[in-house]
mmCIF file of all heavy atoms in Angstrom:
data_model
loop_
_atom_site.group_PDB
_atom_site.id
_atom_site.type_symbol
_atom_site.label_atom_id
_atom_site.label_comp_id
_atom_site.label_asym_id
_atom_site.label_seq_id
_atom_site.Cartn_x
_atom_site.Cartn_y
_atom_site.Cartn_z
ATOM 1 N N GLU A 103 -12.077 -19.931 11.415
ATOM 2 C CA GLU A 103 -11.993 -18.894 12.396
ATOM 3 C C GLU A 103 -13.056 -17.826 12.181
ATOM 4 O O GLU A 103 -13.538 -17.704 11.014
ATOM 5 C CB GLU A 103 -10.630 -18.293 12.226
ATOM 6 C CG GLU A 103 -10.230 -17.342 13.412
ATOM 7 C CD GLU A 103 -8.749 -16.756 13.034
ATOM 8 O OE1 GLU A 103 -8.604 -16.060 11.983
ATOM 9 O OE2 GLU A 103 -7.816 -16.988 13.846
ATOM 10 N N PRO A 216 0.248 -15.310 -15.925
ATOM 11 C CA PRO A 216 0.303 -14.470 -17.037
ATOM 12 C C PRO A 216 -0.751 -13.426 -16.891
ATOM 13 O O PRO A 216 -1.775 -13.545 -16.167
ATOM 14 C CB PRO A 216 0.021 -15.325 -18.259
ATOM 15 C CG PRO A 216 -0.552 -16.638 -17.732
ATOM 16 C CD PRO A 216 -0.042 -16.761 -16.343
ATOM 17 N N VAL A 234 -24.318 -6.830 -8.120
ATOM 18 C CA VAL A 234 -24.699 -6.621 -6.720
ATOM 19 C C VAL A 234 -24.906 -5.134 -6.464
ATOM 20 O O VAL A 234 -25.679 -4.774 -5.611
ATOM 21 C CB VAL A 234 -23.714 -7.281 -5.880
ATOM 22 C CG1 VAL A 234 -23.848 -6.900 -4.422
ATOM 23 C CG2 VAL A 234 -23.699 -8.817 -5.977
ATOM 24 N N HIS A 302 3.120 -3.101 -19.832
ATOM 25 C CA HIS A 302 2.258 -2.934 -18.592
ATOM 26 C C HIS A 302 2.683 -1.692 -17.828
ATOM 27 O O HIS A 302 1.781 -0.909 -17.449
ATOM 28 C CB HIS A 302 2.445 -4.109 -17.715
ATOM 29 C CG HIS A 302 2.065 -5.423 -18.377
ATOM 30 N ND1 HIS A 302 0.697 -5.795 -18.686
ATOM 31 C CD2 HIS A 302 2.849 -6.431 -18.992
ATOM 32 C CE1 HIS A 302 0.791 -6.982 -19.346
ATOM 33 N NE2 HIS A 302 1.952 -7.423 -19.422
ATOM 34 N N TRP A 307 1.476 3.743 -15.551
ATOM 35 C CA TRP A 307 1.731 5.211 -15.359
ATOM 36 C C TRP A 307 0.690 5.981 -16.008
ATOM 37 O O TRP A 307 0.215 6.962 -15.437
ATOM 38 C CB TRP A 307 3.138 5.582 -15.934
ATOM 39 C CG TRP A 307 4.335 5.225 -15.144
ATOM 40 C CD1 TRP A 307 5.317 4.318 -15.340
ATOM 41 C CD2 TRP A 307 4.728 5.889 -13.863
ATOM 42 N NE1 TRP A 307 6.274 4.370 -14.424
ATOM 43 C CE2 TRP A 307 5.877 5.288 -13.499
ATOM 44 C CE3 TRP A 307 4.129 6.834 -13.181
ATOM 45 C CZ2 TRP A 307 6.579 5.622 -12.343
ATOM 46 C CZ3 TRP A 307 4.810 7.269 -11.935
ATOM 47 C CH2 TRP A 307 6.024 6.613 -11.546
ATOM 48 N N PRO A 352 9.567 -5.719 0.103
ATOM 49 C CA PRO A 352 9.519 -4.520 0.892
ATOM 50 C C PRO A 352 9.209 -3.243 0.076
ATOM 51 O O PRO A 352 9.525 -3.215 -1.104
ATOM 52 C CB PRO A 352 10.892 -4.483 1.491
ATOM 53 C CG PRO A 352 11.760 -5.117 0.558
ATOM 54 C CD PRO A 352 10.992 -6.188 -0.163
ATOM 55 N N PHE A 388 -11.038 5.258 1.927
ATOM 56 C CA PHE A 388 -11.126 4.324 3.020
ATOM 57 C C PHE A 388 -11.540 5.016 4.401
ATOM 58 O O PHE A 388 -11.193 4.684 5.489
ATOM 59 C CB PHE A 388 -9.737 3.582 3.321
ATOM 60 C CG PHE A 388 -9.612 2.628 2.014
ATOM 61 C CD1 PHE A 388 -8.627 2.950 1.015
ATOM 62 C CD2 PHE A 388 -10.331 1.492 1.974
ATOM 63 C CE1 PHE A 388 -8.506 2.089 -0.031
ATOM 64 C CE2 PHE A 388 -10.177 0.639 0.895
ATOM 65 C CZ PHE A 388 -9.250 0.853 -0.109
#
Side-chain angles (χ1 to χ4, degrees):
E103 193 179 58
V234 166
H302 303 285
W307 279 113
F388 293 105

